[in-house]
Amino acid sequence: MRRVVALVGTIFLACALWTAPAYAGAVPDKSHAFGNSRAGWAEEYTQWVFGDSSNPIVSGECGALVDGAYFLTTPTDINQEFECTVPLGVPIILSHAAYFAWVPTDGSTDDEIEATSVALFGSPKSSLTLDGRSVPLATTQTGAFNVNSQPGSAYDAVFDLGTGPIRTAVTGQFTVLHPLRPGKHQIVADVDFNPTGGPIFGVTYNIMVR
């Protein structure tokens, strides 16, 4: 009988440990979650959005598995909606509100592009919910770093910056979510960078975790 009770207790504990991340929601801003700092994830996310040959900002794809996390594509308009299938046990990373600055368009030095990204980001009106629950948001500044622009990437094909290292700085809200439980989930995010005139971005991600 004791063995049965012990086995049931072990199963219950395992289930509790698994379900906890679904309710934990976002990782705290200052944590070093899933092997990277928030700024580190922001740099990897920027590399994917602007430097990857898949060109996610124009491909229409919901996202991609990158370095053990699922990156959701950043919105470029209002009322966007994506259907996503996310592998079980994988954290989710997205940025619905950020300003990206680069050399030479936004400055010729690290200090200049960092200052530009901060100034353009400002203090937007921004919100994000996971399954109807509000997720706290915090602003991350990466400082200047190199994005490796691959052939066909956004930097190459959209902004005509060519390939190779592009010096970049980012200021924005990067959300890192714990792995979600199997089944359907929904993330809704909106940002108004200037409540009196825009730009405004809005996106809904309908997620199936399996």
Side-chain angles (χ1 to χ4, degrees):
M1 181 65 178
R2 290 181 180 178
R3 290 182 180 179
V4 174
V5 172
L7 177 60
V8 171
T10 300
I11 293 173
F12 177 81
L13 177 60
C15 291
L17 290 173
W18 165 246
T19 56
Y23 294 103
V27 170
D29 177 48
K30 301 301 182 182
S31 68
H32 198 91
F34 309 109
N36 217 339
S37 66
R38 187 64 56 92
W41 280 121
E43 290 186 16
E44 288 205 40
Y45 185 89
T46 304
Q47 170 63 48
W48 175 69
V49 168
F50 289 111
D52 195 83
S53 59
S54 65
N55 201 349
I57 65 171
V58 298
S59 69
E61 296 296 324
C62 177
L65 192 61
V66 180
D67 196 21
Y70 196 89
F71 288 3
L72 297 177
T73 190
T74 191
T76 56
D77 205 343
I78 59 174
N79 300 323
Q80 288 186 281
E81 191 163 353
F82 296 96
E83 304 293 326
C84 319
T85 299
V86 176
L88 186 65
V90 172
I92 295 173
I93 297 174
L94 69 150
S95 179
H96 73 288
Y99 259 101
F100 305 82
W102 52 81
V103 175
T105 306
D106 302 299
S108 58
T109 67
D110 287 357
D111 287 344
E112 288 177 355
I113 61 172
E114 289 171 16
T116 298
S117 73
V118 171
L120 291 176
F121 185 76
S123 301
K125 180 181 179 182
S126 181
S127 67
L128 188 149
T129 61
L130 168 62
D131 295 334
R133 299 181 180 184
S134 179
V135 174
L137 300 171
T139 300
T140 297
Q141 296 178 27
T142 63
F145 63 100
N146 285 334
V147 168
N148 179 31
S149 176
Q150 301 172 0
S153 68
Y155 270 165
D156 180 37
V158 177
F159 299 105
D160 199 27
L161 296 175
T163 59
I166 306 296
R167 202 67 176 158
T168 302
V170 185
T171 300
Q173 294 166 344
F174 292 83
T175 300
V176 179
L177 298 174
H178 287 282
L180 302 177
R181 289 187 295 186
K184 295 181 179 180
H185 300 273
Q186 188 176 73
I187 296 172
V188 179
D190 297 280
V191 60
D192 183 350
F193 281 105
N194 183 349
T196 62
I200 300 172
F201 301 126
V203 62
T204 297
Y205 304 96
N206 298 308
I207 296 172
M208 173 61 72
V209 176
R210 60 187 179 193

